[in-house]
Amino acid sequence: MTLAAKKIVLKTRKQVFGEMLGNNASLFQGEGFEFAELREYIYGDDVRKIDWKITAKMRKPYVKIYHEERELNVVVSTMMGGSTWFGTVRPKYEYMAELVALLGFSAVKNSDLFSHIIYADHLYRYSKPSKKIFSVTKELEEALDFDPLGKASDFAGWADTLFRRVKKKSLLFLISDFVGEVDLRLLSRKHDVFAIIVRDRFEENPQSLGYLRLVDPESGESFEGEVGSSTMQAYKAALRANDHRLYRHFRKNGIRHVKLFTDEEPFAKLIKRMR
């Protein structure tokens, strides 16, 4: 195991299994998510389960009831295209590997099945579901060892492969920088999808760089010239348009999501968003 992998394992295991975080430090509950029925609210019910649309129509509070399941099928899939090689504080692919470890250890802590899928221009890895800590460590190493350079991010192929290959209804975590055309409609109907957007702050707020030579980490094509304020403004506008489409797509299809930056600790933010 490399030094980088050891550091991430020690850090994430402490966060997930640490006693300071209480008896339920896992990112998600072991309760199933298979919808059963609606019923009128009873004092003591979890207010987070209130269906506000039905409540507004009936003018009485109604809650969603779910079938209890003994275990969840937790699938974490990372889109490791060439753009994930970038990072000013740390590479995005390394940050994504840490997220794989956090989610994997949380699944194991809950005695849930965990599997990991690496995708870029095609499928590179699909691990077997497991409840063993060793499997999480193994997938962390696979993510860190993966070389994203020269690989395009094929979002259409990613969604299609996950739809076909992940048979059982799952809690599906999709980790990517999500720059490009994304269509997760079919996946969101079959699985409970949670999208994690990983970005570098310089990516979203770049400064004028002057005259330089740039290389596209996905295609390998190079550009040499002046990168001034007007170029940066056009880039920012394009990225904002990309994110506007992305968030609208998530809201329309009921996909929960969170954006994480490579210079911030992911665990606390994930806990808050998952709850």
Side-chain angles (χ1 to χ4, degrees):
M1 184 186 297
T2 64
L3 180 60
K6 287 181 180 179
K7 287 182 178 179
I8 293 176
V9 167
L10 290 174
K11 175 185 174 183
T12 53
R13 284 191 64 171
K14 182 179 180 181
Q15 288 174 326
V16 173
F17 293 95
E19 293 181 2
M20 291 179 64
L21 294 173
N23 295 324
N24 190 22
S26 179
L27 289 171
F28 35 87
Q29 305 294 336
E31 182 185 16
F33 48 84
E34 194 74 43
F35 176 74
E37 62 178 345
L38 284 167
R39 68 161 169 78
E40 196 170 338
Y41 175 85
I42 300 174
Y43 178 77
D45 284 339
D46 189 343
V47 295
R48 293 174 297 180
K49 296 180 180 178
I50 293 177
D51 188 315
W52 295 107
K53 288 184 178 180
I54 300 298
T55 296
K57 289 180 181 179
M58 303 300 292
R59 298 188 178 181
K60 291 181 180 180
Y62 277 78
V63 295
K64 291 181 178 180
I65 305 300
Y66 296 88
H67 289 302
E68 294 283 343
E69 294 183 353
R70 292 183 180 271
E71 65 182 16
L72 293 175
N73 190 46
V74 179
V75 180
V76 180
S77 183
T78 47
M79 169 56 82
M80 292 286 200
S83 61
T84 63
W85 188 77
F86 177 78
T88 54
V89 178
R90 59 192 294 198
K92 287 188 287 184
Y93 80 86
E94 183 181 306
Y95 192 85
M96 292 162 67
E98 182 174 329
L99 292 173
V100 171
L102 274 175
L103 295 167
F105 285 134
S106 291
V108 170
K109 183 179 186 294
N110 263 16
S111 297
D112 295 324
L113 290 169
F114 163 74
S115 57
H116 177 222
I117 298 170
I118 296 178
Y119 201 95
D121 48 357
H122 62 265
L123 179 66
Y124 284 89
R125 180 169 179 80
Y126 189 165
S127 68
K128 294 181 179 179
S130 175
K131 296 183 180 181
K132 297 180 180 179
I133 288 179
F134 169 79
S135 67
V136 180
T137 305
K138 174 66 174 175
E139 294 314 307
L140 167 63
E141 291 180 293
E142 290 289 340
L144 287 175
D145 290 342
F146 187 79
D147 183 10
L149 282 176
K151 299 176 176 65
S153 298
D154 181 4
F155 289 104
W158 188 31
D160 180 65
T161 298
L162 291 174
F163 184 81
R164 290 185 292 103
R165 296 292 295 271
V166 184
K167 303 294 186 182
K168 181 181 178 182
K169 184 176 176 67
S170 304
L171 179 54
L172 181 58
F173 289 92
L174 304 181
I175 308 175
S176 171
D177 54 18
F178 287 100
V179 178
E181 293 296 327
V182 179
D183 187 351
L184 304 175
R185 287 175 295 177
L186 290 178
L187 273 180
S188 65
R189 294 171 187 171
K190 184 177 180 181
H191 303 289
D192 185 9
V193 179
F194 192 105
I196 302 178
I197 307 165
V198 176
R199 298 275 177 84
D200 188 276
R201 291 195 189 274
F202 185 82
E203 233 178 344
E204 299 211 339
N205 190 31
Q207 307 302 314
S208 298
L209 300 173
Y211 190 89
L212 77 168
R213 182 172 180 266
L214 299 173
V215 178
D216 187 331
E218 293 195 353
S219 66
E221 296 180 359
S222 62
F223 163 82
E224 187 172 353
E226 185 74 23
V227 182
S229 58
S230 60
T231 305
M232 289 294 96
Q233 290 303 320
Y235 164 80
K236 290 178 184 178
L239 186 60
R240 285 195 298 269
N242 175 90
D243 289 353
H244 179 72
R245 291 192 304 270
L246 183 67
Y247 295 148
R248 183 173 59 190
H249 178 67
F250 286 164
R251 288 193 299 269
K252 185 176 181 180
N253 293 282
I255 298 171
R256 293 177 293 164
H257 62 277
V258 64
K259 180 185 285 187
L260 299 173
F261 292 96
T262 54
D263 64 344
E264 63 183 358
E265 288 295 330
F267 187 69
K269 199 168 182 179
L270 277 177
I271 282 282
K272 182 178 180 180
R273 189 65 184 90
M274 290 296 294
R275 292 287 182 257

